[in-house]
Amino acid sequence: MNAALSIMIFDENRIRAAIIEEGLREAGHTHVVVLHDIVGLARQIELIGPDVIVIDIETPNRDMLEHLFQLTRSVRKPIAMFVDRSDTLSIEAAVEAGVSAYVVDGLRKERVKPILDMAVSRFKAFSRLQQELADAKSALEERKIIDRAKGILMKSRKLTEDEAYALLRQTAMNEKKKLADIAQSVVMAAAILGS
């Protein structure tokens, strides 16, 4: 893991936070910020802008976990969470909230770095998958718009499918625009004209 990463630790227990901080500093991390108060935590994360977040909860209760899970859903950062005890529902909620590493009863300073490395790697892999999914959805939407535009051109100008596609493509090249943008214009114009 890159030692220049900015790491934020949240732990209400100062002794446990010191264990995590020491583990990170021994691993060469110098940009470490420790927070102890859950009040205003979202604002602090926004101000600090950490690359990675470590959350430790010695004795988690349902409300605190739910609050932290809501927070993790919104920050879009690698998050490693240490808890002393857990149950199946909490583990499922952590995964659903996007927690990259959820470690039960495993807080030791020599374990902090490898767990953080894994959390960052897992977050990157998950982010890549999310981007690929978003790209695939976008390509599918563009394909649908192009098909609709082809249908409009085929009907209004009595073209074959290949001719309609060629017309869209040639127009896109002439206008130096994406094929999907030209198709969107055709669909929008047809809607306005009621054709």
Side-chain angles (χ1 to χ4, degrees):
M1 183 168 50
N2 185 348
L5 286 176
S6 169
I7 303 170
M8 192 208 80
I9 301 167
F10 167 71
D11 196 332
E12 291 181 321
N13 182 316
R14 292 176 188 275
I15 294 170
R16 291 172 62 95
I19 292 170
I20 296 170
E21 184 178 11
E22 189 177 333
L24 290 170
R25 293 199 186 277
E26 285 181 4
H29 294 284
T30 55
H31 305 287
V32 180
V33 175
V34 181
L35 301 176
H36 301 288
D37 193 354
I38 198 167
V39 176
L41 186 59
R43 179 79 179 127
Q44 287 297 316
I45 290 172
E46 189 179 316
L47 289 172
I48 296 166
D51 299 311
V52 184
I53 299 172
V54 179
I55 297 172
D56 177 58
I57 309 170
E58 185 176 11
T59 53
N61 62 49
R62 180 74 51 206
D63 290 342
M64 178 181 258
L65 282 175
E66 183 53 37
H67 178 75
L68 290 171
F69 290 156
Q70 284 179 359
L71 185 66
T72 60
R73 285 185 194 99
S74 64
V75 295
R76 302 240 177 244
K77 303 276 184 188
I79 297 172
M81 185 176 282
F82 293 87
V83 295
D84 268 2
R85 55 188 160 84
S86 189
D87 56 36
T88 303
L89 289 176
S90 296
I91 293 168
E92 289 173 358
V95 170
E96 179 72 22
V99 172
S100 306
Y102 189 81
V103 183
V104 180
D105 195 22
L107 180 60
R108 292 193 308 271
K109 73 175 183 182
E110 62 274 11
R111 292 189 67 199
V112 172
K113 184 188 178 312
I115 288 170
L116 230 56
D117 289 347
M118 189 271 296
V120 170
S121 295
R122 187 163 178 238
F123 177 80
K124 287 179 179 174
F126 186 70
S127 295
R128 229 180 358 261
L129 286 175
Q130 282 184 316
Q131 187 59 52
E132 288 173 8
L133 178 62
D135 291 347
K137 284 182 177 178
S138 176
L140 182 61
E141 286 304 312
E142 287 183 358
R143 185 80 241 159
K144 286 179 182 176
I145 290 292
I146 291 169
D147 285 345
R148 285 181 59 196
K150 282 192 307 187
I152 291 166
L153 292 173
M154 290 166 63
K155 184 178 174 185
S156 65
R157 301 197 48 191
K158 310 286 189 231
L159 299 174
T160 66
E161 184 175 355
D162 288 343
E163 291 169 336
Y165 183 78
L167 179 60
L168 286 170
R169 189 163 179 254
Q170 187 61 51
T171 304
M173 289 171 55
N174 292 344
E175 297 294 322
K176 296 183 176 24
K177 291 186 174 180
K178 288 177 54 181
L179 182 61
D181 293 339
I182 297 298
Q184 182 64 48
S185 298
V186 170
V187 170
M188 192 178 304
I192 291 171
L193 297 173
S195 54

